[in-house]
Amino acid sequence: MPGLLRGVARTAVVAGTATAVSNRVSRRQQGRWAAQQEQEYAAPPPPPAAAPAPAPAPAASDMSSKIDQLKQLGELRDQGVLTDSEFEEQKRRLLQA
């Protein structure tokens, strides 16, 4: 019988320790979650995003530079260096910039 009581007592101690640790972990997690929620609610809402500024009109020198580049692309296409699809792609990129 003494061995049985010792086993039961050991089991009770282990179970009690496990319960105490589990409760402490639960309380700590609840405290962290509560702090996170307080921070979320305490933080001011972000300011509304400003509308993007309109793109400036291209300058005359910028336009002439694009025209020169388009002429160069056309010459490369005529020489066979660029295919028609490559030419169209490069032209599209140039005009979008």
Side-chain angles (χ1 to χ4, degrees):
M1 251 340 190
L4 181 61
L5 286 176
R6 187 178 303 160
V8 170
R10 183 178 300 152
T11 301
V13 169
V14 169
T17 303
T19 301
V21 170
S22 174
N23 289 340
R24 182 173 179 209
V25 168
S26 293
R27 281 192 304 270
R28 186 181 301 163
Q29 286 178 341
Q30 287 176 350
R32 287 181 183 167
W33 292 335
Q36 285 177 350
Q37 286 179 345
E38 287 176 13
Q39 288 177 354
E40 289 175 6
Y41 290 120
S61 63
D62 187 38
M63 188 58 76
S64 64
S65 133
K66 286 185 179 183
I67 292 172
D68 290 339
Q69 289 176 349
L70 283 172
K71 287 179 182 177
Q72 289 175 351
L73 286 173
E75 291 172 4
L76 290 173
R77 182 192 57 191
D78 293 342
Q79 294 172 2
V81 175
L82 291 177
T83 64
D84 288 335
S85 61
E86 291 172 334
F87 171 76
E88 291 299 323
E89 176 66 23
Q90 292 301 322
K91 182 175 80 170
R92 183 185 61 79
R93 286 184 183 175
L94 179 64
L95 294 176
Q96 284 181 349

